Amino acid sequence: MKRTRALLAPFMLAIALSTHAFAKIIIHVNQVGFDARGAKGAVIASDAGELDGVTAFEIVAAGSRQAVFSGKTGKPEQVKEWFPGRIYHRIDFSALTKTGRYQIVLRVKGAPVTSDEFQIADKALAKLLIPSIIHYYNKQRADKPEELLADEHVMLYGSEKTVDLRGGWDDASGDISKYFSHLAYANFMSQQQIPLCTWAMTNAAERIPMLLTDLNVLDSMKREALYGADYIVRSLSEEGYFYMTIFSYFNPDPKARRVVGLNANSVTTDKYQCAYREGGGMGIAALARISRWKMDGAFTSAQYLAAAKRAFAHLQVNNLKYCDDGKENILDDYCALMGATELWLATGENEYRDEARKRAQNLGKRLAPGGYFIANDANRPFWHASDAGLPIVALCRYLDAEKDAAFRKTALATVKKALDYNVRVTGEVANPFGYARQSFLLNGAVKDGFFIPHENESGWWWQGENARLGSLASAALLGGRLVYPASGGTGTSGALTAYAGHQLSWILGANPYEACFMYGFGRNNMPYMKSMYGHGSERGGISNGVTGKDGHADGSGIDYKPHDNGNEWRWTEQWIPHAAWFLVAVTTLAQE
């Protein structure tokens, strides 16, 4: 997502939220629902002294108002870098598993304080939200007449050559460009975009087919995944690399669209070839995985597999040429691991097995003693605004293929150490919402914090991190079932179940701003954002979310600005990776 103030699309709605306009007592809760088997909780926020003497809460049925559960409030906590003086108490009602619609009630000085309504049901998040996620992607298709006409013969930057790149999904509610990735020039920040979305849909169709059938959306999910695969095949050049970006320049004239590479501030270049870390690895993974369906879209399943194999062969020789700094890093490792693993699963061939094993071992070697990954070959901790959980998710997918005990042992040790770090760093400070924390390098020193540093290699890019939260929830559940298996519940430990639940609940409204970032759900959505050719915010799409304080280089503090003189996109814009990672997480949560 590339923005300048003058080019932002206007908002159509407004909401009034201010960090200085809190009610005295608020119950921050997931405004949509909880899976019956998962963690359930909320956070009570109050001014000092307002909850004196209040030590208990009730859960009541939303219709009858009859109490069905009661519990004790947790100890008082403060997050001083967010809202000094604000007092938080956690509450937990994970033991409540009965299906129904509920509210939390506090009795404060004889008067009730009541939360938003929420549901509890078996596989609630998948059942309630996956149909709308499919709807969101369907509406994000770059299939308007202007786009189809322009993209059938879209010009390569710096050349008169044109290619047919019809299809794919527009990137965001304010951006009708199409990306395999961007921020490639920053080397450590490349996000996985259209290929990740395709892989996430393919994953859902394979992991929970019976549930999707019951929801009457399995065919829709498969069609949408095939639509994504078709775009990935079209994006494979004659030479064997994927084209990274079709950029609109935020220009209403569709003829302005070009295949480009992007530098800071939307400066375009002819570096449009995808390295593994720039969408190439995930493009291979998505095509190889969907080829196993033996289903055809605009291309055949054989063509999907052939394209994946050709792209892999090309990047094995040329990847360093496409890396902007000429070096591989952790992003290449986890993206190449995904591509090689899916090809191994699709073909059984040793070439792909050997590359997957090498990349999995590379990830293990990148673990620092503290448990976080090192992104480079020196001292930079790995942090990521959208794909922080992908190293673990890639290792888990690799373990679906790996049967050798020695290789499994090594990969499982990497997953365990990384998950232990995630839980530990998140719990090392007062953190009533359970927001996933991380380590990063700033001014030569390693720091831990809630949000990504705003001073980073991109020179300008930072935004809300809801995709990061979804990726970490996915990693906690997938990895946890392998290294901390448990019978019942979500299939893993209570600590990892709670960790995952906190991230998903934050997205759905259990955050200090009471903002439900999935559009069309909950009480408090983002302003509508309008884009060109009739595109804009859609039900099932997820906005960027909360950030560190604007102006804080280290990402400390907290901010959410639904209006900011053209910079609102950092918080309010829908972006396709958010929904993709949320889909992976709720798919995993729903899988038996």
Side-chain angles (χ1 to χ4, degrees):
M1 297 183 297
K2 318 297 181 294
R3 301 290 177 273
T4 63
R5 181 171 296 179
L7 295 172
L8 252 172
F11 290 127
M12 301 300 288
L13 296 179
I15 60 177
L17 274 179
S18 165
T19 60
H20 305 291
F22 291 118
K24 287 186 177 181
I25 300 172
I26 298 173
I27 303 173
H28 299 284
V29 67
N30 174 334
Q31 297 167 18
V32 178
F34 297 92
D35 282 26
R37 298 181 301 157
K40 308 171 198 73
V43 177
I44 305 165
S46 67
D47 294 335
E50 289 295 325
L51 283 183
D52 287 352
V54 178
T55 61
F57 69 93
E58 290 182 333
I59 308 289
V60 302
S64 68
R65 310 294 294 173
Q66 289 185 337
V68 297
F69 186 90
S70 63
K72 299 293 185 181
T73 58
K75 65 182 181 181
E77 298 181 81
Q78 293 188 59
V79 188
K80 293 181 180 179
E81 72 171 76
W82 290 3
F83 306 111
R86 199 74 170 149
I87 309 298
Y88 298 102
H89 297 260
R90 297 191 201 197
I91 63 173
D92 184 85
F93 48 97
S94 298
L96 177 59
T97 60
K98 184 179 179 181
T99 296
R101 295 192 63 86
Y102 301 103
Q103 290 176 285
I104 302 161
V105 177
L106 301 173
R107 306 293 174 181
V108 183
K109 298 174 184 177
V113 176
T114 306
S115 76
D116 290 307
E117 286 190 18
F118 55 87
Q119 293 189 43
I120 294 176
D122 180 50
K123 302 178 178 63
L125 293 184
K127 291 176 180 177
L128 291 169
L129 302 177
I130 284 179
S132 289
I133 293 173
I134 299 171
H135 163 86
Y136 164 69
Y137 281 109
N138 187 264
K139 292 297 185 180
Q140 282 296 116
R141 288 187 177 195
D143 61 358
K144 299 299 186 286
E146 300 94 330
E147 295 169 295
L148 291 172
L149 185 63
D151 290 351
E152 187 174 9
H153 303 286
V154 65
M155 193 174 294
L156 304 182
Y157 181 89
S159 169
E160 296 297 315
K161 181 179 179 180
T162 64
V163 290
D164 178 3
L165 294 184
R166 289 170 295 159
W169 299 287
D170 290 330
D171 190 58
S173 53
D175 188 359
I176 56 167
S177 304
K178 301 188 293 192
Y179 304 87
F180 268 53
S181 182
H182 75 282
L183 301 182
Y185 70 93
N187 292 304
F188 300 103
M189 296 177 64
S190 293
Q191 305 95 335
Q192 307 308 307
Q193 292 171 248
I194 286 176
L196 169 68
C197 298
T198 306
W199 185 90
M201 293 175 201
T202 309
N203 178 70
E206 292 181 6
R207 299 289 193 188
I208 51 170
M210 294 304 297
L211 176 58
L212 297 181
T213 298
D214 291 344
L215 295 173
N216 199 30
V217 295
L218 179 60
D219 288 345
S220 298
M221 182 74 81
K222 288 184 173 181
R223 284 196 299 270
E224 207 63 31
L226 288 165
Y227 174 82
D230 290 338
Y231 178 73
I232 296 171
V233 173
R234 290 194 189 98
S235 297
L236 186 63
S237 69
E238 296 172 353
E239 295 82 358
Y241 57 79
F242 293 111
Y243 295 114
M244 194 184 311
T245 299
I246 292 183
F247 194 50
S248 72
Y249 294 87
F250 306 100
N251 188 329
D253 181 0
K255 294 180 182 178
R257 294 164 75 83
R258 292 288 184 276
V259 176
V260 304
L262 278 168
N263 287 340
N265 299 317
S266 301
V267 173
T268 48
T269 76
D270 61 359
K271 293 182 179 179
Y272 43 66
Q273 305 88 355
C274 289
Y276 274 126
R277 67 185 183 228
E278 297 161 1
M282 286 304 299
I284 293 165
L287 290 179
R289 187 165 191 175
I290 209 167
S291 75
R292 300 173 68 195
W293 291 3
K294 307 303 180 186
M295 290 180 64
D296 300 341
F299 299 93
T300 67
S301 60
Q303 287 174 308
Y304 296 141
L305 182 58
K309 295 175 75 169
R310 188 158 69 90
F312 177 86
H314 183 83
L315 283 180
Q316 286 294 90
V317 175
N318 295 286
N319 193 57
L320 288 178
K321 185 190 305 182
Y322 304 144
C323 295
D324 283 53
D325 60 357
K327 302 175 184 177
E328 288 193 340
N329 62 46
I330 189 173
L331 280 73
D332 296 281
D333 281 334
Y334 62 66
C335 291
L337 175 58
M338 286 294 283
T341 295
E342 295 294 359
L343 278 169
W344 182 17
L345 286 165
T347 68
E349 294 176 11
N350 290 347
E351 174 187 6
Y352 307 121
R353 177 202 66 190
D354 293 346
E355 182 65 15
R357 287 174 171 174
K358 183 186 85 172
R359 296 292 184 170
Q361 289 177 317
N362 286 355
L363 288 175
K365 294 172 185 176
R366 291 188 181 279
L367 275 174
Y372 56 79
F373 290 101
I374 297 293
N376 57 9
D377 296 326
N379 64 339
R380 182 195 188 277
F382 170 71
W383 58 266
H384 205 282
S386 62
D387 302 322
L390 188 47
I392 296 172
V393 172
L395 285 166
C396 292
R397 185 58 174 159
Y398 160 71
L399 285 161
D400 286 341
E402 183 59 79
K403 305 305 178 188
D404 183 275
F407 285 106
R408 286 187 63 83
K409 181 179 179 180
T410 301
L412 287 167
T414 303
V415 170
K416 181 179 182 298
K417 189 171 182 179
L419 288 178
D420 288 348
Y421 156 78
N422 285 347
V423 172
R424 184 176 66 252
V425 74
T426 294
E428 283 178 340
V429 299
N431 189 2
F433 293 91
Y435 189 93
R437 297 174 75 245
Q438 61 207 317
S439 302
F440 55 89
L441 190 68
L442 189 71
N443 299 324
V446 175
K447 297 186 62 175
D448 298 334
F450 289 99
F451 303 106
I452 66 168
H454 296 181
E455 185 177 296
N456 57 56
E457 291 91 349
S458 74
W460 70 280
W461 190 90
W462 52 272
Q463 64 168 48
E465 303 167 27
N466 283 334
R468 182 176 81 90
L469 303 187
S471 76
L472 289 169
S474 302
L477 295 168
L478 286 164
R481 289 172 179 174
L482 293 173
V483 300
Y484 289 108
S487 59
T490 64
T492 186
S493 69
L496 287 168
T497 297
Y499 177 93
H502 289 149
Q503 314 319 314
L504 300 180
S505 286
W506 177 284
I507 293 169
L508 298 176
N511 57 69
Y513 299 95
E514 299 183 276
C516 183
F517 291 107
M518 178 172 277
Y519 199 72
F521 291 87
R523 172 178 52 81
N524 193 15
N525 283 172
M526 304 304 95
Y528 181 87
M529 183 176 281
K530 182 180 179 181
S531 190
M532 290 180 280
Y533 314 146
H535 290 294
S537 301
E538 287 291 346
R539 178 177 173 86
I542 297 175
S543 296
N544 291 332
V546 180
T547 69
K549 187 71 175 176
D550 193 354
H552 288 201
D554 63 356
S556 62
I558 192 167
D559 237 337
Y560 168 65
K561 299 182 184 181
H563 308 287
D564 191 35
N565 298 317
N567 289 312
E568 304 85 279
W569 66 270
R570 294 190 190 274
W571 298 275
T572 64
E573 188 173 34
Q574 291 181 355
W575 189 36
I576 59 175
H578 297 314
W581 276 120
F582 193 90
L583 176 61
V584 176
V586 298
T587 294
T588 307
L589 197 57
Q591 186 181 0
E592 297 291 347

